[in-house]
Amino acid sequence: MYNPYDFYFKKAKKEWYKARSAFKLQEIQDKFWLITKNTRSVLDIGCAPWSWLQYTIGQLKKFWVQQYQVIGFDLKKVELNFPGLSTYVQDITEQEKVYSILSQHQLSQFDFIQSDIAPNTIGLKDIDAMRSIDLLEQTYWIYDELLRDDGAFVIKIFMWPGFDEFVAKIKKRFWAKTIKLFKPQSCRANSKETYIVRVSPQK
């Protein structure tokens, strides 16, 4: 039975996270260690409601990373003040505008890219599945062009039609042995979401 005020909702409130989704990234980090002492640049696409930004910056501070840049993009305004963080209201499918913003920060590639982005759903499985895969395809260029060769990423994906094809595309572009699939326990039991994880090939 769906319970919006479950254990992870209450845990997020207790630990001052904006949303329960922080614990999904925490589980992924605990298992794969995507954020390390060498992480200097992070891109978060679909960064609202910014709980992933909270967690990631907390990890950077944990590793005593002194100089880092974290960039967040979303269609919604995100107001979060942390040193080294810049957020923008920007459609990430508009490549030229994204590149223009990154050039202002003298960034061309990232050590780590995180995405908990999802389309607006309407409750019709076939249409929602199409929207989900279409969004992934539209944002594929981010990983293809903006990730360092030794970089890591985590992408939310729904196990709907098109799932296998997109995972195969990711494995073909990046070394297949570095690609993992992982569903955190903090995901709701009936959710079709899971995550594509790319660990650094240097590990």
Side-chain angles (χ1 to χ4, degrees), residues 30 37 44 46 97 134 147 159 172 174 176 202:
D30 288 347
K37 63 181 181 180
D44 186 324
K97 291 182 179 180
D134 184 58
L147 186 74
M159 292 181 286
K172 183 177 179 179
F174 301 94
Q202 292 187 351

Side-chain angles (χ1 to χ4, degrees), residues 29-89:
Q29 171 69 358
D30 288 347
K31 184 173 180 64
F32 299 106
W33 290 98
L34 306 179
I35 306 165
T36 72
K37 63 181 181 180
N38 297 316
T39 303
R40 296 291 183 273
S41 54
V42 178
L43 178 61
D44 186 324
I45 61 175
C47 61
W50 50 260
S51 61
W52 276 31
L53 289 173
Q54 283 180 286
Y55 179 79
T56 295
I57 291 174
Q59 288 294 291
L60 292 171
K61 291 180 177 179
K62 173 184 174 182
F63 287 116
W64 296 94
V65 179
Q66 299 297 319
Q67 299 293 328
Y68 61 80
Q69 290 195 77
V70 179
I71 307 295
F73 291 119
D74 203 281
L75 296 178
K76 298 178 181 178
K77 187 175 183 179
V78 171
E79 295 183 349
L80 186 63
N81 295 315
F82 281 118
L85 170 65
S86 301
T87 59
Y88 296 89
V89 178

